[in-house]
């Protein structure tokens, strides 16, 4: 069993794995992107092979969020050390966000996420 929390800011959001709950906290009042509450964003499932092999790790993922809230580009900045965990983390690129707002206007920008895969 694992736990999941989700915090998001422009520079260093934190994703921690969980099968129990999803919580979203936007820290800054301006220059923030948040999940679009009208769209669903399922957390990545723990890969079966990773569960069997008891793999854990942290993936640093960069997402370029377009002005329409869709992910325009994504890349792994730092691998967890396990191919299956890295690949599963990329599922976050399918989520839709409210774009970054700067001076009252949506702006395309990169956001970094730290996604922690941990077995309890």
């Amino acid at each position: 069993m694992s736990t999941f929390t989700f915090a998001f800011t422009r520079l260093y959001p934190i994703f921690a794995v969980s099968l129990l709950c999803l919580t979203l906290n936007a820290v800054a009042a301006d220059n923030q992107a948040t999940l679009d509450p009208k769209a669903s964003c399922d957390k990545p499932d723990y890969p079966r092979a990773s569960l069997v092999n008891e793999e854990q790790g942290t993936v640093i993922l960069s997402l370029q969020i377009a002005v329409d809230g869709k992910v325009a580009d994504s890349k792994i900045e730092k691998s967890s050390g396990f191919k299956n965990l890295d690949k599963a983390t990329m599922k976050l690129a399918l989520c839709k966000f409210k774009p970054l707002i700067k001076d009252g206007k949506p702006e395309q920008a990169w956001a970094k996420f730290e996604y922690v895969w941990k077995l309890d």
Side-chain angles (χ1 to χ4, degrees):
M1 190 60 94
S2 59
T3 56
F4 182 77
T5 55
F6 178 86
F8 183 59
T9 66
R10 179 175 184 193
L11 298 177
Y12 293 100
I14 298 172
F15 282 86
V17 178
S18 160
L19 299 175
L20 302 177
C21 65
L22 173 67
T23 308
L24 175 65
N25 296 315
V27 178
D30 196 16
N31 287 339
Q32 68 185 10
T34 59
L35 282 174
D36 185 342
K38 297 176 187 171
S40 69
C41 181
D42 297 329
K43 65 176 181 55
D45 292 326
Y46 219 108
R48 187 170 190 78
S50 295
L51 285 170
V52 169
N53 294 321
E54 298 182 353
E55 296 171 349
Q56 301 182 92
T58 301
V59 178
I60 297 180
L61 175 68
S62 287
L63 299 176
Q64 186 179 41
I65 301 169
V67 295
D68 65 358
K70 294 180 181 176
V71 176
D73 197 5
S74 61
K75 59 186 173 185
I76 300 281
E77 295 284 334
K78 181 179 174 279
S79 171
S80 65
F82 299 102
K83 185 178 177 180
N84 289 330
L85 295 180
D86 294 348
K87 184 177 176 182
T89 304
M90 293 301 290
K91 182 178 180 183
L92 296 172
L94 301 174
C95 296
K96 186 171 180 192
F97 297 82
K98 286 188 175 183
L100 209 79
I101 303 297
K102 187 171 184 178
D103 298 325
K105 298 178 185 175
E107 180 180 285
Q108 181 166 303
W110 284 93
K112 284 188 180 183
F113 298 88
E114 181 179 73
Y115 200 100
V116 178
W117 295 92
K118 185 175 178 183
L119 297 169
D120 290 336

